[in-house]
Amino acid sequence: MRRLSSPVIAIQRWKARWVVALGLTVVATAVNFPLQEITFGRAPLLTYFPMLTLVAFLAGALPGLAALVVTALLVAYFWVAPQNSLAVGGIADAVLLGSYLVSGLVVVAAASVARRAILGLEQTSARLDAAHVASGMVEWEWDLATNKVALSGTAGSVFGTSWTGLDGALRLAHPEDRERLETEIAEGLKGGQYRLISRMIRPDTQETRWLETIGVVHQDSSGRATHVTGTATDVTEKQRL
């Protein structure tokens, strides 16, 4: 369960946000010129709704609103009669532009709400990782069908490395504990959960550390074990007391 930073997190500085808004607006407009030749000017808004969604999602509400206003002016100037003028010649065109502004506001609002939600999740995730690092804890999930193990972002600080399969975890185990671990894990899979206290040797420092590993076995509708989720916590200091 490695946490990956979303594009939203990467685009937070205000300059970057406005560059993204400008770039996407330019691209959408550049595509719109040949597109309107193909459609005989019947779809002047076709490229702009996806662009507004991306701008508001990646850059935020204010750049999204700016892109909405700019593109409304572009549509009025290039693709609404009389062309090459900001004047609107007919009721139908006025309705088109008005509908675009209203619909665009909805799109920008929805996308910016999604942006804030993702930012909130990422910030919560970062705080959670910080708490896990402080407590020496790693979250993990083991897919029994593929034998793949997914680790939280704190794995490197706790284990000194990371891995993608159960064999990677067993390689870290102290040689005197490895056979016992394999037996207790096999028994735990049958019993539905397990709690292990064992030693590991950190590959980066060669230091022996104690781990408490708790696993919960999940089953499908037929009662077959499918995956295991759990935590591994460095309890070296407790073991030394």
Side-chain angles (χ1 to χ4, degrees):
M1 57 188 73
R2 303 176 190 275
R3 296 187 176 99
L4 301 177
S5 295
S6 70
V8 173
I9 295 300
I11 306 172
Q12 289 199 62
R13 296 183 178 236
W14 70 270
K15 287 183 178 179
R17 291 163 57 192
W18 285 101
V19 167
V20 166
L22 177 61
L24 288 173
T25 301
V26 169
V27 169
T29 302
V31 171
N32 215 13
F33 279 103
L35 182 63
Q36 295 321 303
E37 291 184 10
I38 295 172
T39 61
F40 302 101
R42 294 175 181 172
L45 308 178
L46 195 58
T47 64
Y48 288 136
F49 279 113
M51 179 275 297
L52 287 177
T53 303
L54 283 174
V55 169
F57 182 71
L58 295 175
L62 190 56
L65 291 174
L68 174 62
V69 172
V70 169
T71 52
L73 293 174
L74 289 172
V75 170
Y77 188 83
F78 288 111
W79 295 294
V80 168
Q83 292 183 342
N84 301 323
S85 169
L86 290 177
V88 178
I91 295 177
D93 290 332
V95 170
L96 173 70
L97 287 172
S99 300
Y100 173 58
L101 288 170
V102 172
S103 301
L105 283 173
V106 174
V107 168
V108 168
S112 59
V113 166
R115 170 187 168 82
R116 286 196 298 271
I118 288 179
L119 284 172
L121 287 173
E122 291 282 356
Q123 289 165 358
T124 299
S125 179
R127 288 194 293 268
L128 203 57
D129 275 350
H132 286 169
V133 169
S135 62
M137 179 185 291
V138 176
E139 295 176 291
W140 52 267
E141 182 173 352
W142 174 22
D143 187 322
L144 297 176
T146 63
N147 203 35
K148 297 295 184 182
V149 176
L151 303 169
S152 63
T154 53
S157 64
V158 175
F159 299 132
T161 185
S162 61
W163 58 86
T164 58
L166 180 63
D167 55 341
L170 293 175
R171 279 197 298 269
L172 292 184
H174 192 287
E176 295 177 5
D177 293 347
R178 191 168 300 156
E179 185 176 348
R180 173 178 63 84
L181 277 175
E182 292 177 342
T183 300
E184 291 184 357
I185 290 173
E187 291 298 320
L189 291 177
K190 298 176 184 177
Q193 61 182 5
Y194 54 85
R195 176 180 175 272
L196 313 173
I197 300 292
S198 62
R199 292 167 292 176
M200 76 164 184
I201 300 176
R202 284 186 62 127
D204 54 342
T205 63
Q206 299 305 307
E207 180 184 8
T208 299
R209 308 291 295 181
W210 286 87
L211 291 178
E212 179 184 44
T213 304
I214 298 174
V216 177
V217 182
H218 302 266
Q219 301 175 335
D220 60 18
S221 57
S222 63
R224 181 177 61 89
T226 57
H227 65 286
V228 186
T229 57
T231 60
T233 306
D234 188 323
V235 293
T236 304
E237 301 309 318
K238 292 181 180 179
Q239 291 296 119
R240 289 173 177 170
L241 295 178

